[in-house]
Every structure is written in C-alpha cells, then in structure tokens.
Amino acid sequence: AESGAMVGMSTNVQMQTGMSSNAGGGLLGGLLGGLKRALAGESWFRNTFTAVNGPGEVLLAHALCGDMQQVQVPPTGITLTSSSFIASTPNVQVDTKVQGFKGFFSGEGMFVMQATAQDPNNQLLFGAFGGVTALNCDGNLVIATGHLVAWDSTLTYKIGKSGGGWIASFLSGEGLVCHFQGQGRIWIQSRNPVEYGRAVGALLPPRQR
C-alpha cells in the first residue's frame, strides 16, 4: 500500500515498510524505484501488510476526496496517472514509466505508473478525485487530461488540442485532451484537481506576509 493510506488494521496484521514491496535489484534498485515514484507524485516508501495466525483486515483510504476502484490486473497491464495508486496484492509489479513531454504539456506530469501481473487473480486499488466511472473504448475516445485516472495498457494515446485550433482550445477552457485508440477500459474522475484548486484558490483571502 502507498505510504499513509492505512486507516486501520486487525491486531494480528504486521506492517513492514520498504522502498518497494516488489522491486528487484537490492538496495540500488529500491533507491532508483523510490526516486522514480517520487517523480511520479508517489511516496518513496510502501507498506506491506501480512496477517499472522489467521485472516486479517486492513482499511485503506485515498489522499484525495473521492471514490476508490478495485480491479483485477490483466497480463497486459493497467496504466495509472500519478498519485492515483493506493494498493495492490503483492505479486502486482508497479513501475514508473516516462510519459514524455506530451504528459508535461498536458499538465499531468511526465510520469505514469504501470501495474502488471502474470497471475490473473491479482488486484489493484486506485483512487479518484470525486466519483470514478469506467468507460469502454471501442476504437477512439477523447478524454480531458484532468479527468483521467487509469486505462488499460493495450490502448495507445496521444495528447492534442481540444478545439479546432490552439486559440479555440485555449478560449474554450478545456485545454489539452487525450486521444485514445484501441480496445480497452478507461477510468475517469468526475472532478479535475487542477481546476478545483484554481476555483478554491480564487476564493481564499490574500496570504498574510
């Protein structure tokens, strides 16, 4: 689980903290994995929960105000936006991938998380800001970048303008959007964290110096 996600746990559950619960490469691999996660908006450390002498229970929560979604991880993997990962079963490999400048200019950051698992019974838990809805992409689908949470890694995508031209895209207030192609699922959130921050920030009194 992501550091700080635990709400409560059974008394027979033991928690171990490490730089990664599933990264290889020893100490160096853990350091590199932690640095990559930090760049993606995740914490350096993750916690592993193990029940001893019988079943146990762990309660988890997302840092933002919103819903959580539990999904089974396919062999092809699921891609997550930064800061949406909460937890997974131990055999899910969660790596940080470079999204490139298309993510930087979209405001979503240059890094994404990719969860993969060879065993089909492994689970992934991620969180959204507001409600979370799963959409089926059957060919092409356009989603505003600020409302993206996760998508099947089988989908290809590119960042583009929302309107017919750059000026129209800017004046519309929609900015950049993500053009998905292929067959797969896309999970979206009902609220845009950046736009929400701007709206709330405009209502706050000036900061006292």
Side-chain angles (χ1 to χ4, degrees):
E2 182 71 0
S3 176
M6 193 270 292
V7 175
M9 61 184 181
S10 306
T11 56
N12 68 319
V13 172
Q14 296 180 352
M15 182 181 70
Q16 292 181 325
T17 303
M19 290 184 181
S20 177
S21 61
N22 51 19
L27 178 60
L28 179 59
L31 287 172
L32 292 176
L35 177 60
K36 289 168 65 179
R37 289 196 304 274
L39 292 172
E42 304 290 327
S43 64
W44 276 80
F45 299 97
R46 287 187 185 152
N47 298 320
T48 301
F49 299 90
T50 305
V52 180
N53 297 326
E57 185 177 33
V58 178
L59 306 179
L60 301 170
H62 188 35
L64 296 176
C65 301
D67 294 342
M68 297 187 294
Q69 183 78 45
Q70 178 182 334
V71 297
Q72 184 170 297
V73 182
T76 51
I78 293 176
T79 304
L80 306 164
T81 56
S82 61
S83 302
S84 62
F85 172 81
I86 298 176
S88 68
T89 47
N91 291 328
V92 175
Q93 183 70 34
V94 182
D95 296 316
T96 304
K97 301 295 183 181
V98 178
Q99 192 177 202
F101 285 104
K102 62 182 179 181
F104 176 79
F105 287 114
S106 71
E108 296 304 302
M110 296 183 65
F111 299 89
V112 292
M113 314 292 290
Q114 186 169 39
T116 56
Q118 298 303 316
D119 185 349
N121 295 321
N122 280 284
Q123 304 292 315
L124 172 69
L125 181 67
F126 56 83
F129 187 41
V132 58
T133 302
L135 305 176
N136 288 320
C137 179
D138 186 12
N140 295 276
L141 196 60
V142 179
I143 304 293
T145 56
H147 289 275
L148 281 173
V149 178
W151 58 91
D152 282 323
S153 299
T154 52
L155 293 169
T156 60
Y157 68 97
K158 61 181 180 179
I159 303 295
K161 53 186 179 295
S162 56
W166 290 111
I167 296 178
S169 298
F170 175 77
L171 295 176
S172 70
E174 300 302 327
L176 299 176
V177 295
C178 197
H179 296 261
F180 285 95
Q181 289 184 322
Q183 307 285 332
R185 299 163 296 175
I186 303 172
W187 289 270
I188 61 172
Q189 57 193 8
S190 61
R191 301 191 183 279
N192 183 329
V194 175
E195 294 301 325
Y196 180 83
R198 290 173 181 169
V200 172
L203 301 176
L204 296 177
R207 182 178 300 177
Q208 299 295 326
R209 294 182 179 270

PDB file of all heavy atoms in Angstrom, residues 62-101:
ATOM      1  N   HIS A  62      -7.930   6.882   0.200  1.00  0.00           N
ATOM      2  CA  HIS A  62      -7.210   7.689  -0.771  1.00  0.00           C
ATOM      3  C   HIS A  62      -6.940   9.068  -0.174  1.00  0.00           C
ATOM      4  O   HIS A  62      -7.711   9.566   0.647  1.00  0.00           O
ATOM      5  CB  HIS A  62      -8.060   7.817  -2.042  1.00  0.00           C
ATOM      6  CG  HIS A  62      -7.349   8.478  -3.188  1.00  0.00           C
ATOM      7  ND1 HIS A  62      -6.004   8.304  -3.426  1.00  0.00           N
ATOM      8  CD2 HIS A  62      -7.795   9.308  -4.158  1.00  0.00           C
ATOM      9  CE1 HIS A  62      -5.666   8.993  -4.497  1.00  0.00           C
ATOM     10  NE2 HIS A  62      -6.728   9.621  -4.948  1.00  0.00           N
ATOM     11  N   ALA A  63      -5.842   9.701  -0.588  1.00  0.00           N
ATOM     12  CA  ALA A  63      -5.480  11.014  -0.056  1.00  0.00           C
ATOM     13  C   ALA A  63      -6.477  12.092  -0.475  1.00  0.00           C
ATOM     14  O   ALA A  63      -6.760  13.012   0.288  1.00  0.00           O
ATOM     15  CB  ALA A  63      -4.071  11.397  -0.509  1.00  0.00           C
ATOM     16  N   LEU A  64      -7.017  11.987  -1.693  1.00  0.00           N
ATOM     17  CA  LEU A  64      -7.978  12.969  -2.180  1.00  0.00           C
ATOM     18  C   LEU A  64      -9.407  12.560  -1.824  1.00  0.00           C
ATOM     19  O   LEU A  64      -9.673  11.391  -1.516  1.00  0.00           O
ATOM     20  CB  LEU A  64      -7.853  13.131  -3.705  1.00  0.00           C
ATOM     21  CG  LEU A  64      -6.538  13.693  -4.213  1.00  0.00           C
ATOM     22  CD1 LEU A  64      -6.526  13.711  -5.736  1.00  0.00           C
ATOM     23  CD2 LEU A  64      -6.291  15.091  -3.661  1.00  0.00           C
ATOM     24  N   CYS A  65     -10.323  13.537  -1.869  1.00  0.00           N
ATOM     25  CA  CYS A  65     -11.734  13.263  -1.571  1.00  0.00           C
ATOM     26  C   CYS A  65     -12.379  12.621  -2.796  1.00  0.00           C
ATOM     27  O   CYS A  65     -12.669  13.304  -3.774  1.00  0.00           O
ATOM     28  CB  CYS A  65     -12.464  14.562  -1.211  1.00  0.00           C
ATOM     29  SG  CYS A  65     -11.774  15.429   0.205  1.00  0.00           S
ATOM     30  N   GLY A  66     -12.590  11.336  -2.755  1.00  0.00           N
ATOM     31  CA  GLY A  66     -13.188  10.676  -3.899  1.00  0.00           C
ATOM     32  C   GLY A  66     -13.314   9.184  -3.709  1.00  0.00           C
ATOM     33  O   GLY A  66     -12.971   8.628  -2.662  1.00  0.00           O
ATOM     34  N   ASP A  67     -13.815   8.522  -4.739  1.00  0.00           N
ATOM     35  CA  ASP A  67     -14.051   7.088  -4.706  1.00  0.00           C
ATOM     36  C   ASP A  67     -12.768   6.302  -4.953  1.00  0.00           C
ATOM     37  O   ASP A  67     -11.782   6.832  -5.473  1.00  0.00           O
ATOM     38  CB  ASP A  67     -15.087   6.698  -5.758  1.00  0.00           C
ATOM     39  CG  ASP A  67     -16.458   7.263  -5.459  1.00  0.00           C
ATOM     40  OD1 ASP A  67     -16.696   7.662  -4.297  1.00  0.00           O
ATOM     41  OD2 ASP A  67     -17.290   7.311  -6.380  1.00  0.00           O
ATOM     42  N   MET A  68     -12.837   5.019  -4.581  1.00  0.00           N
ATOM     43  CA  MET A  68     -11.767   4.082  -4.886  1.00  0.00           C
ATOM     44  C   MET A  68     -12.315   2.979  -5.786  1.00  0.00           C
ATOM     45  O   MET A  68     -13.508   2.681  -5.751  1.00  0.00           O
ATOM     46  CB  MET A  68     -11.172   3.496  -3.606  1.00  0.00           C
ATOM     47  CG  MET A  68     -10.521   4.530  -2.701  1.00  0.00           C
ATOM     48  SD  MET A  68      -9.653   3.789  -1.292  1.00  0.00           S
ATOM     49  CE  MET A  68     -11.040   3.093  -0.386  1.00  0.00           C
ATOM     50  N   GLN A  69     -11.426   2.388  -6.567  1.00  0.00           N
ATOM     51  CA  GLN A  69     -11.828   1.351  -7.512  1.00  0.00           C
ATOM     52  C   GLN A  69     -10.880   0.159  -7.384  1.00  0.00           C
ATOM     53  O   GLN A  69      -9.660   0.328  -7.414  1.00  0.00           O
ATOM     54  CB  GLN A  69     -11.790   1.876  -8.944  1.00  0.00           C
ATOM     55  CG  GLN A  69     -12.268   0.891  -9.998  1.00  0.00           C
ATOM     56  CD  GLN A  69     -13.775   0.808 -10.051  1.00  0.00           C
ATOM     57  OE1 GLN A  69     -14.473   1.809 -10.030  1.00  0.00           O
ATOM     58  NE2 GLN A  69     -14.305  -0.396 -10.127  1.00  0.00           N
ATOM     59  N   GLN A  70     -11.456  -1.030  -7.211  1.00  0.00           N
ATOM     60  CA  GLN A  70     -10.656  -2.257  -7.171  1.00  0.00           C
ATOM     61  C   GLN A  70     -10.862  -3.012  -8.473  1.00  0.00           C
ATOM     62  O   GLN A  70     -12.003  -3.285  -8.866  1.00  0.00           O
ATOM     63  CB  GLN A  70     -11.074  -3.130  -5.988  1.00  0.00           C
ATOM     64  CG  GLN A  70     -10.313  -4.450  -5.916  1.00  0.00           C
ATOM     65  CD  GLN A  70     -10.784  -5.316  -4.758  1.00  0.00           C
ATOM     66  OE1 GLN A  70     -11.284  -4.817  -3.756  1.00  0.00           O
ATOM     67  NE2 GLN A  70     -10.634  -6.632  -4.908  1.00  0.00           N
ATOM     68  N   VAL A  71      -9.773  -3.349  -9.154  1.00  0.00           N
ATOM     69  CA  VAL A  71      -9.852  -4.049 -10.435  1.00  0.00           C
ATOM     70  C   VAL A  71      -8.851  -5.193 -10.456  1.00  0.00           C
ATOM     71  O   VAL A  71      -7.836  -5.174  -9.759  1.00  0.00           O
ATOM     72  CB  VAL A  71      -9.583  -3.100 -11.626  1.00  0.00           C
ATOM     73  CG1 VAL A  71     -10.628  -2.014 -11.710  1.00  0.00           C
ATOM     74  CG2 VAL A  71      -8.186  -2.506 -11.534  1.00  0.00           C
ATOM     75  N   GLN A  72      -9.162  -6.195 -11.253  1.00  0.00           N
ATOM     76  CA  GLN A  72      -8.243  -7.296 -11.485  1.00  0.00           C
ATOM     77  C   GLN A  72      -7.248  -6.890 -12.558  1.00  0.00           C
ATOM     78  O   GLN A  72      -7.627  -6.338 -13.592  1.00  0.00           O
ATOM     79  CB  GLN A  72      -9.025  -8.536 -11.919  1.00  0.00           C
ATOM     80  CG  GLN A  72      -8.183  -9.781 -12.090  1.00  0.00           C
ATOM     81  CD  GLN A  72      -9.056 -11.016 -12.284  1.00  0.00           C
ATOM     82  OE1 GLN A  72      -9.821 -11.401 -11.399  1.00  0.00           O
ATOM     83  NE2 GLN A  72      -8.956 -11.615 -13.451  1.00  0.00           N
ATOM     84  N   VAL A  73      -5.972  -7.132 -12.316  1.00  0.00           N
ATOM     85  CA  VAL A  73      -4.926  -6.691 -13.233  1.00  0.00           C
ATOM     86  C   VAL A  73      -4.739  -7.717 -14.347  1.00  0.00           C
ATOM     87  O   VAL A  73      -4.379  -8.872 -14.080  1.00  0.00           O
ATOM     88  CB  VAL A  73      -3.590  -6.480 -12.491  1.00  0.00           C
ATOM     89  CG1 VAL A  73      -2.523  -5.978 -13.445  1.00  0.00           C
ATOM     90  CG2 VAL A  73      -3.772  -5.496 -11.343  1.00  0.00           C
ATOM     91  N   PRO A  74      -4.965  -7.329 -15.603  1.00  0.00           N
ATOM     92  CA  PRO A  74      -4.754  -8.254 -16.725  1.00  0.00           C
ATOM     93  C   PRO A  74      -3.257  -8.386 -17.027  1.00  0.00           C
ATOM     94  O   PRO A  74      -2.452  -7.528 -16.630  1.00  0.00           O
ATOM     95  CB  PRO A  74      -5.493  -7.574 -17.876  1.00  0.00           C
ATOM     96  CG  PRO A  74      -5.409  -6.118 -17.558  1.00  0.00           C
ATOM     97  CD  PRO A  74      -5.452  -6.006 -16.062  1.00  0.00           C
ATOM     98  N   PRO A  75      -2.834  -9.440 -17.743  1.00  0.00           N
ATOM     99  CA  PRO A  75      -1.422  -9.582 -18.107  1.00  0.00           C
ATOM    100  C   PRO A  75      -0.897  -8.417 -18.924  1.00  0.00           C
ATOM    101  O   PRO A  75       0.303  -8.106 -18.874  1.00  0.00           O
ATOM    102  CB  PRO A  75      -1.399 -10.893 -18.909  1.00  0.00           C
ATOM    103  CG  PRO A  75      -2.602 -11.643 -18.458  1.00  0.00           C
ATOM    104  CD  PRO A  75      -3.639 -10.606 -18.156  1.00  0.00           C
ATOM    105  N   THR A  76      -1.767  -7.746 -19.670  1.00  0.00           N
ATOM    106  CA  THR A  76      -1.336  -6.607 -20.484  1.00  0.00           C
ATOM    107  C   THR A  76      -1.121  -5.349 -19.661  1.00  0.00           C
ATOM    108  O   THR A  76      -0.510  -4.397 -20.134  1.00  0.00           O
ATOM    109  CB  THR A  76      -2.373  -6.323 -21.583  1.00  0.00           C
ATOM    110  OG1 THR A  76      -3.678  -6.224 -20.983  1.00  0.00           O
ATOM    111  CG2 THR A  76      -2.381  -7.437 -22.618  1.00  0.00           C
ATOM    112  N   GLY A  77      -1.630  -5.321 -18.428  1.00  0.00           N
ATOM    113  CA  GLY A  77      -1.347  -4.224 -17.525  1.00  0.00           C
ATOM    114  C   GLY A  77      -2.362  -3.098 -17.541  1.00  0.00           C
ATOM    115  O   GLY A  77      -3.201  -2.984 -18.443  1.00  0.00           O
ATOM    116  N   ILE A  78      -2.276  -2.256 -16.515  1.00  0.00           N
ATOM    117  CA  ILE A  78      -3.099  -1.058 -16.362  1.00  0.00           C
ATOM    118  C   ILE A  78      -2.174   0.125 -16.099  1.00  0.00           C
ATOM    119  O   ILE A  78      -1.257   0.030 -15.286  1.00  0.00           O
ATOM    120  CB  ILE A  78      -4.111  -1.208 -15.219  1.00  0.00           C
ATOM    121  CG1 ILE A  78      -5.151  -2.279 -15.564  1.00  0.00           C
ATOM    122  CG2 ILE A  78      -4.807   0.118 -14.913  1.00  0.00           C
ATOM    123  CD1 ILE A  78      -6.133  -2.560 -14.448  1.00  0.00           C
ATOM    124  N   THR A  79      -2.405   1.227 -16.791  1.00  0.00           N
ATOM    125  CA  THR A  79      -1.625   2.440 -16.608  1.00  0.00           C
ATOM    126  C   THR A  79      -2.373   3.403 -15.707  1.00  0.00           C
ATOM    127  O   THR A  79      -3.584   3.592 -15.866  1.00  0.00           O
ATOM    128  CB  THR A  79      -1.334   3.120 -17.957  1.00  0.00           C
ATOM    129  OG1 THR A  79      -0.674   2.165 -18.818  1.00  0.00           O
ATOM    130  CG2 THR A  79      -0.425   4.327 -17.786  1.00  0.00           C
ATOM    131  N   LEU A  80      -1.658   4.003 -14.750  1.00  0.00           N
ATOM    132  CA  LEU A  80      -2.259   4.903 -13.770  1.00  0.00           C
ATOM    133  C   LEU A  80      -1.645   6.287 -13.874  1.00  0.00           C
ATOM    134  O   LEU A  80      -0.442   6.422 -14.107  1.00  0.00           O
ATOM    135  CB  LEU A  80      -2.038   4.385 -12.346  1.00  0.00           C
ATOM    136  CG  LEU A  80      -2.476   2.957 -12.029  1.00  0.00           C
ATOM    137  CD1 LEU A  80      -1.832   2.497 -10.737  1.00  0.00           C
ATOM    138  CD2 LEU A  80      -3.984   2.891 -11.897  1.00  0.00           C
ATOM    139  N   THR A  81      -2.465   7.308 -13.689  1.00  0.00           N
ATOM    140  CA  THR A  81      -1.912   8.652 -13.577  1.00  0.00           C
ATOM    141  C   THR A  81      -1.223   8.800 -12.230  1.00  0.00           C
ATOM    142  O   THR A  81      -1.453   8.015 -11.305  1.00  0.00           O
ATOM    143  CB  THR A  81      -3.026   9.709 -13.708  1.00  0.00           C
ATOM    144  OG1 THR A  81      -4.031   9.456 -12.718  1.00  0.00           O
ATOM    145  CG2 THR A  81      -3.643   9.675 -15.089  1.00  0.00           C
ATOM    146  N   SER A  82      -0.375   9.802 -12.113  1.00  0.00           N
ATOM    147  CA  SER A  82       0.385   9.992 -10.882  1.00  0.00           C
ATOM    148  C   SER A  82      -0.550  10.244  -9.711  1.00  0.00           C
ATOM    149  O   SER A  82      -1.600  10.864  -9.845  1.00  0.00           O
ATOM    150  CB  SER A  82       1.349  11.172 -11.044  1.00  0.00           C
ATOM    151  OG  SER A  82       0.647  12.366 -11.312  1.00  0.00           O
ATOM    152  N   SER A  83      -0.180   9.703  -8.564  1.00  0.00           N
ATOM    153  CA  SER A  83      -0.888   9.879  -7.285  1.00  0.00           C
ATOM    154  C   SER A  83      -2.206   9.136  -7.186  1.00  0.00           C
ATOM    155  O   SER A  83      -2.946   9.334  -6.212  1.00  0.00           O
ATOM    156  CB  SER A  83      -1.142  11.369  -6.995  1.00  0.00           C
ATOM    157  OG  SER A  83       0.066  12.086  -6.975  1.00  0.00           O
ATOM    158  N   SER A  84      -2.559   8.271  -8.140  1.00  0.00           N
ATOM    159  CA  SER A  84      -3.818   7.538  -8.041  1.00  0.00           C
ATOM    160  C   SER A  84      -3.644   6.141  -7.433  1.00  0.00           C
ATOM    161  O   SER A  84      -4.619   5.544  -6.979  1.00  0.00           O
ATOM    162  CB  SER A  84      -4.482   7.417  -9.419  1.00  0.00           C
ATOM    163  OG  SER A  84      -3.652   6.700 -10.304  1.00  0.00           O
ATOM    164  N   PHE A  85      -2.418   5.622  -7.394  1.00  0.00           N
ATOM    165  CA  PHE A  85      -2.176   4.298  -6.827  1.00  0.00           C
ATOM    166  C   PHE A  85      -2.394   4.312  -5.318  1.00  0.00           C
ATOM    167  O   PHE A  85      -1.929   5.215  -4.618  1.00  0.00           O
ATOM    168  CB  PHE A  85      -0.746   3.841  -7.131  1.00  0.00           C
ATOM    169  CG  PHE A  85      -0.347   2.574  -6.418  1.00  0.00           C
ATOM    170  CD1 PHE A  85      -0.726   1.345  -6.908  1.00  0.00           C
ATOM    171  CD2 PHE A  85       0.390   2.628  -5.241  1.00  0.00           C
ATOM    172  CE1 PHE A  85      -0.368   0.172  -6.253  1.00  0.00           C
ATOM    173  CE2 PHE A  85       0.755   1.465  -4.574  1.00  0.00           C
ATOM    174  CZ  PHE A  85       0.375   0.232  -5.081  1.00  0.00           C
ATOM    175  N   ILE A  86      -3.116   3.297  -4.824  1.00  0.00           N
ATOM    176  CA  ILE A  86      -3.322   3.150  -3.383  1.00  0.00           C
ATOM    177  C   ILE A  86      -2.688   1.863  -2.876  1.00  0.00           C
ATOM    178  O   ILE A  86      -1.897   1.883  -1.934  1.00  0.00           O
ATOM    179  CB  ILE A  86      -4.826   3.164  -3.032  1.00  0.00           C
ATOM    180  CG1 ILE A  86      -5.456   4.501  -3.438  1.00  0.00           C
ATOM    181  CG2 ILE A  86      -5.032   2.920  -1.526  1.00  0.00           C
ATOM    182  CD1 ILE A  86      -6.956   4.556  -3.220  1.00  0.00           C
ATOM    183  N   ALA A  87      -3.029   0.727  -3.505  1.00  0.00           N
ATOM    184  CA  ALA A  87      -2.511  -0.549  -3.018  1.00  0.00           C
ATOM    185  C   ALA A  87      -2.695  -1.625  -4.083  1.00  0.00           C
ATOM    186  O   ALA A  87      -3.397  -1.424  -5.074  1.00  0.00           O
ATOM    187  CB  ALA A  87      -3.219  -0.958  -1.726  1.00  0.00           C
ATOM    188  N   SER A  88      -2.069  -2.771  -3.847  1.00  0.00           N
ATOM    189  CA  SER A  88      -2.216  -3.923  -4.735  1.00  0.00           C
ATOM    190  C   SER A  88      -1.855  -5.181  -3.968  1.00  0.00           C
ATOM    191  O   SER A  88      -1.260  -5.114  -2.877  1.00  0.00           O
ATOM    192  CB  SER A  88      -1.304  -3.793  -5.966  1.00  0.00           C
ATOM    193  OG  SER A  88       0.068  -3.902  -5.578  1.00  0.00           O
ATOM    194  N   THR A  89      -2.207  -6.323  -4.531  1.00  0.00           N
ATOM    195  CA  THR A  89      -1.733  -7.581  -3.976  1.00  0.00           C
ATOM    196  C   THR A  89      -0.239  -7.700  -4.261  1.00  0.00           C
ATOM    197  O   THR A  89       0.284  -7.061  -5.177  1.00  0.00           O
ATOM    198  CB  THR A  89      -2.511  -8.757  -4.580  1.00  0.00           C
ATOM    199  OG1 THR A  89      -2.583  -8.589  -6.006  1.00  0.00           O
ATOM    200  CG2 THR A  89      -3.922  -8.827  -4.032  1.00  0.00           C
ATOM    201  N   PRO A  90       0.496  -8.496  -3.465  1.00  0.00           N
ATOM    202  CA  PRO A  90       1.967  -8.470  -3.521  1.00  0.00           C
ATOM    203  C   PRO A  90       2.577  -8.800  -4.876  1.00  0.00           C
ATOM    204  O   PRO A  90       3.666  -8.300  -5.192  1.00  0.00           O
ATOM    205  CB  PRO A  90       2.370  -9.516  -2.477  1.00  0.00           C
ATOM    206  CG  PRO A  90       1.230  -9.590  -1.537  1.00  0.00           C
ATOM    207  CD  PRO A  90       0.002  -9.370  -2.378  1.00  0.00           C
ATOM    208  N   ASN A  91       1.920  -9.618  -5.677  1.00  0.00           N
ATOM    209  CA  ASN A  91       2.518 -10.043  -6.943  1.00  0.00           C
ATOM    210  C   ASN A  91       2.260  -9.087  -8.102  1.00  0.00           C
ATOM    211  O   ASN A  91       2.601  -9.403  -9.242  1.00  0.00           O
ATOM    212  CB  ASN A  91       2.022 -11.438  -7.321  1.00  0.00           C
ATOM    213  CG  ASN A  91       2.560 -12.504  -6.375  1.00  0.00           C
ATOM    214  OD1 ASN A  91       3.668 -12.382  -5.861  1.00  0.00           O
ATOM    215  ND2 ASN A  91       1.773 -13.536  -6.137  1.00  0.00           N
ATOM    216  N   VAL A  92       1.660  -7.935  -7.839  1.00  0.00           N
ATOM    217  CA  VAL A  92       1.487  -6.918  -8.868  1.00  0.00           C
ATOM    218  C   VAL A  92       2.753  -6.074  -8.942  1.00  0.00           C
ATOM    219  O   VAL A  92       3.195  -5.523  -7.932  1.00  0.00           O
ATOM    220  CB  VAL A  92       0.273  -6.012  -8.574  1.00  0.00           C
ATOM    221  CG1 VAL A  92       0.182  -4.890  -9.596  1.00  0.00           C
ATOM    222  CG2 VAL A  92      -1.002  -6.837  -8.583  1.00  0.00           C
ATOM    223  N   GLN A  93       3.344  -5.999 -10.108  1.00  0.00           N
ATOM    224  CA  GLN A  93       4.540  -5.186 -10.323  1.00  0.00           C
ATOM    225  C   GLN A  93       4.112  -3.784 -10.730  1.00  0.00           C
ATOM    226  O   GLN A  93       3.428  -3.607 -11.740  1.00  0.00           O
ATOM    227  CB  GLN A  93       5.424  -5.804 -11.414  1.00  0.00           C
ATOM    228  CG  GLN A  93       6.734  -5.080 -11.657  1.00  0.00           C
ATOM    229  CD  GLN A  93       7.714  -5.251 -10.503  1.00  0.00           C
ATOM    230  OE1 GLN A  93       7.744  -6.295  -9.855  1.00  0.00           O
ATOM    231  NE2 GLN A  93       8.500  -4.231 -10.239  1.00  0.00           N
ATOM    232  N   VAL A  94       4.484  -2.790  -9.932  1.00  0.00           N
ATOM    233  CA  VAL A  94       4.126  -1.401 -10.208  1.00  0.00           C
ATOM    234  C   VAL A  94       5.391  -0.632 -10.537  1.00  0.00           C
ATOM    235  O   VAL A  94       6.268  -0.471  -9.691  1.00  0.00           O
ATOM    236  CB  VAL A  94       3.402  -0.752  -9.013  1.00  0.00           C
ATOM    237  CG1 VAL A  94       2.997   0.686  -9.348  1.00  0.00           C
ATOM    238  CG2 VAL A  94       2.176  -1.567  -8.623  1.00  0.00           C
ATOM    239  N   ASP A  95       5.507  -0.187 -11.779  1.00  0.00           N
ATOM    240  CA  ASP A  95       6.690   0.527 -12.248  1.00  0.00           C
ATOM    241  C   ASP A  95       6.314   1.932 -12.694  1.00  0.00           C
ATOM    242  O   ASP A  95       5.179   2.200 -13.093  1.00  0.00           O
ATOM    243  CB  ASP A  95       7.345  -0.217 -13.424  1.00  0.00           C
ATOM    244  CG  ASP A  95       7.873  -1.575 -13.019  1.00  0.00           C
ATOM    245  OD1 ASP A  95       8.504  -1.663 -11.950  1.00  0.00           O
ATOM    246  OD2 ASP A  95       7.649  -2.544 -13.759  1.00  0.00           O
ATOM    247  N   THR A  96       7.293   2.816 -12.636  1.00  0.00           N
ATOM    248  CA  THR A  96       7.117   4.187 -13.111  1.00  0.00           C
ATOM    249  C   THR A  96       7.620   4.280 -14.548  1.00  0.00           C
ATOM    250  O   THR A  96       8.731   3.869 -14.846  1.00  0.00           O
ATOM    251  CB  THR A  96       7.891   5.177 -12.227  1.00  0.00           C
ATOM    252  OG1 THR A  96       7.455   5.013 -10.880  1.00  0.00           O
ATOM    253  CG2 THR A  96       7.642   6.612 -12.660  1.00  0.00           C
ATOM    254  N   LYS A  97       6.785   4.820 -15.423  1.00  0.00           N
ATOM    255  CA  LYS A  97       7.123   4.960 -16.831  1.00  0.00           C
ATOM    256  C   LYS A  97       7.203   6.436 -17.211  1.00  0.00           C
ATOM    257  O   LYS A  97       6.429   7.262 -16.717  1.00  0.00           O
ATOM    258  CB  LYS A  97       6.087   4.258 -17.712  1.00  0.00           C
ATOM    259  CG  LYS A  97       5.937   2.767 -17.429  1.00  0.00           C
ATOM    260  CD  LYS A  97       7.194   1.993 -17.767  1.00  0.00           C
ATOM    261  CE  LYS A  97       6.987   0.498 -17.530  1.00  0.00           C
ATOM    262  NZ  LYS A  97       8.230  -0.269 -17.832  1.00  0.00           N
ATOM    263  N   VAL A  98       8.136   6.749 -18.099  1.00  0.00           N
ATOM    264  CA  VAL A  98       8.269   8.115 -18.590  1.00  0.00           C
ATOM    265  C   VAL A  98       7.225   8.353 -19.664  1.00  0.00           C
ATOM    266  O   VAL A  98       7.184   7.659 -20.682  1.00  0.00           O
ATOM    267  CB  VAL A  98       9.677   8.371 -19.153  1.00  0.00           C
ATOM    268  CG1 VAL A  98       9.787   9.798 -19.698  1.00  0.00           C
ATOM    269  CG2 VAL A  98      10.739   8.143 -18.079  1.00  0.00           C
ATOM    270  N   GLN A  99       6.358   9.328 -19.426  1.00  0.00           N
ATOM    271  CA  GLN A  99       5.312   9.657 -20.380  1.00  0.00           C
ATOM    272  C   GLN A  99       5.807  10.627 -21.445  1.00  0.00           C
ATOM    273  O   GLN A  99       5.229  10.739 -22.516  1.00  0.00           O
ATOM    274  CB  GLN A  99       4.110  10.262 -19.637  1.00  0.00           C
ATOM    275  CG  GLN A  99       2.858  10.367 -20.478  1.00  0.00           C
ATOM    276  CD  GLN A  99       1.685  10.901 -19.691  1.00  0.00           C
ATOM    277  OE1 GLN A  99       0.548  10.679 -20.064  1.00  0.00           O
ATOM    278  NE2 GLN A  99       1.917  11.612 -18.615  1.00  0.00           N
ATOM    279  N   GLY A 100       6.881  11.347 -21.134  1.00  0.00           N
ATOM    280  CA  GLY A 100       7.453  12.277 -22.107  1.00  0.00           C
ATOM    281  C   GLY A 100       6.820  13.648 -22.020  1.00  0.00           C
ATOM    282  O   GLY A 100       6.022  13.960 -21.146  1.00  0.00           O
ATOM    283  N   PHE A 101       7.196  14.499 -22.974  1.00  0.00           N
ATOM    284  CA  PHE A 101       6.743  15.878 -22.955  1.00  0.00           C
ATOM    285  C   PHE A 101       5.243  16.013 -23.209  1.00  0.00           C
ATOM    286  O   PHE A 101       4.643  17.018 -22.855  1.00  0.00           O
ATOM    287  CB  PHE A 101       7.520  16.689 -23.997  1.00  0.00           C
ATOM    288  CG  PHE A 101       8.922  17.000 -23.557  1.00  0.00           C
ATOM    289  CD1 PHE A 101       9.995  16.293 -24.083  1.00  0.00           C
ATOM    290  CD2 PHE A 101       9.164  17.976 -22.607  1.00  0.00           C
ATOM    291  CE1 PHE A 101      11.281  16.564 -23.657  1.00  0.00           C
ATOM    292  CE2 PHE A 101      10.449  18.255 -22.190  1.00  0.00           C
ATOM    293  CZ  PHE A 101      11.518  17.555 -22.715  1.00  0.00           C
TER     294      PHE A 101
END
